[in-house]
Amino acid sequence: MASFEPKELTTGKLHSYLLSAIAPRPIAFASTVDEKGVPNLSPFSFFNVFSSNPPVMIFSPARRVRNNTTKHTLENVKATKEVVINVVNFNIVHQMSLSSSEYPKGVNEFDKAGLTMLPSDLVKPFRVAESPVQFECKVNSVVALAEKGGAGNLVICEVLKFHIDDDVLNDDETIDQIKLDLVARAGGNFYSRAKQGFFEIPKPISALGIGVDNMPEHIKNSMVLTGNDLGMLGNVEVLPTDLEVEKFMNELTKNHNTKKIASQREKHKLARNYLSFGDVDSAWKILLSK
């Protein structure tokens, strides 16, 4: 049996072991605003509920390991003392992953991830309309565990009001766990779907993805592509060139002995098929074809 003392490991190595061993973990999709009211949205898997009376949740935005800086979420909760914690189900998991990219301060991750801002009733931060359960919270305190890279900051939140989508409620107003379809975080690229088991999502690229907000309107408003599809498409740094698109489509029609794909709907359906296999590049070439 391998044995370790934390002081003998680099912070990055220790972090990796902890995240892989303590899993799966629920995800707090935390919505905040800064002092000027600019929205921010980011996921955190150091999270759970710790009390029912009063209803208290804690999540922990850790200091970045690589440069010991703090995240915008932490800065916002310290400044405004408010947060909305949205749960993450399978339908929005790729959009959630895209929102975890390190966009500059002031960039609205709701727009980047293609998610809808829903006004809260009692706090200033917006809710994620697509999330099946949303908790409006006041921040009672923030406890810094250390000042080193990788150190956690316990954001202790008291629930003031929460909202549950009717679609996940049973007739007796209990939550149907199957319909809720929650997703949890594990180590590396792994996630766990509560009703199905493990799956992988590649981490967002180190260079910032274009985001859903920069996609052509016919893609953003597609009746075929899902939120998860848009999340995958948004996690690319640059789009294929016209020449790359033309070459790919010529090879596609030649190899499959098919006619040129004419309608947007057909393109979207074929692109979604490629996305189901994780082939984002080919999906983009189909969507951009003329």
Side-chain angles (χ1 to χ4, degrees):
M1 181 175 228
S3 300
F4 306 95
E5 293 186 22
K7 63 184 179 182
E8 297 174 346
L9 302 173
T10 64
T11 302
K13 188 72 171 177
L14 176 59
H15 183 76
S16 177
Y17 278 136
L18 291 173
L19 267 59
S20 295
I22 311 302
R25 302 179 305 282
I27 300 169
F29 207 7
S31 168
T32 58
V33 294
D34 65 14
E35 290 175 301
K36 297 180 180 179
V38 177
N40 181 266
L41 182 65
S42 187
F44 299 92
S45 68
F46 286 180
F47 163 65
N48 220 308
V49 58
F50 290 88
S51 173
S52 298
N53 188 21
V56 171
M57 301 176 174
I58 300 176
F59 72 99
S60 179
R63 301 179 73 92
R64 295 182 180 92
V65 174
R66 66 180 181 275
N67 57 12
N68 197 22
T69 55
T70 57
K71 297 185 177 181
H72 302 142
T73 299
L74 180 62
E75 297 164 7
N76 289 351
V77 296
K78 285 183 175 180
T80 67
K81 307 297 184 184
E82 293 181 339
V83 62
V84 174
I85 295 177
N86 307 274
V87 304
V88 177
N89 65 355
F90 188 74
N91 287 342
I92 62 171
V93 66
H94 281 278
Q95 291 167 284
M96 176 276 299
S97 178
L98 177 58
S99 76
S100 69
S101 301
E102 296 285 353
Y103 291 108
K105 186 175 178 60
V107 171
N108 187 344
E109 287 84 3
F110 279 92
D111 292 339
K112 286 295 178 185
L115 294 166
T116 307
M117 293 190 298
L118 184 64
S120 297
D121 293 341
L122 301 179
V123 297
K124 292 185 180 65
F126 294 92
R127 294 178 276 151
V128 175
E130 292 81 359
S131 170
V133 188
Q134 310 134 7
F135 298 92
E136 300 184 31
C137 305
K138 68 175 182 178
V139 176
N140 288 342
S141 61
V142 178
V143 181
L145 301 181
E147 297 298 326
K148 302 175 182 178
N153 295 272
L154 306 185
V155 181
I156 302 173
C157 313
E158 184 174 340
V159 178
L160 302 179
K161 189 172 186 177
F162 62 99
H163 313 266
I164 305 175
D165 192 322
D166 291 335
D167 289 343
V168 303
L169 284 175
N170 296 312
D171 291 339
D172 62 356
E173 294 191 335
T174 58
I175 292 177
D176 185 319
Q177 294 291 292
I178 301 298
K179 291 179 180 177
L180 189 59
D181 200 10
L182 289 180
V183 167
R185 194 71 173 90
N189 292 339
F190 281 96
Y191 289 77
S192 178
R193 189 176 182 181
K195 68 178 186 181
Q196 187 168 315
F198 279 116
F199 63 98
E200 286 188 87
I201 295 180
K203 293 182 185 297
I205 56 175
S206 55
L208 296 180
I210 62 168
V212 176
D213 56 329
N214 287 318
M215 293 180 188
E217 291 298 320
H218 75 91
I219 298 176
K220 285 194 292 187
N221 299 322
S222 173
M223 299 297 290
V224 175
L225 299 170
T226 67
N228 275 339
D229 295 330
L230 296 179
M232 295 173 71
L233 291 167
N235 189 33
V236 296
E237 184 179 6
V238 293
L239 297 178
T241 65
D242 290 343
L243 185 61
E244 290 172 332
V245 170
E246 182 180 4
K247 180 180 178 181
F248 175 84
M249 294 305 294
N250 287 338
E251 292 177 353
L252 181 67
T253 54
K254 178 181 178 181
N255 292 340
H256 294 276
N257 193 26
T258 59
K259 297 179 181 179
K260 183 178 179 181
I261 305 170
S263 73
Q264 293 283 17
R265 184 174 180 82
E266 288 177 327
K267 292 176 184 177
H268 289 200
K269 289 173 68 176
L270 183 57
R272 190 176 183 198
N273 184 55
Y274 275 88
L275 289 171
S276 70
F277 295 100
D279 189 349
V280 179
D281 183 61
S282 296
W284 263 120
K285 289 172 181 175
I286 292 167
L287 292 169
L288 295 175
S289 64
K290 298 176 181 178

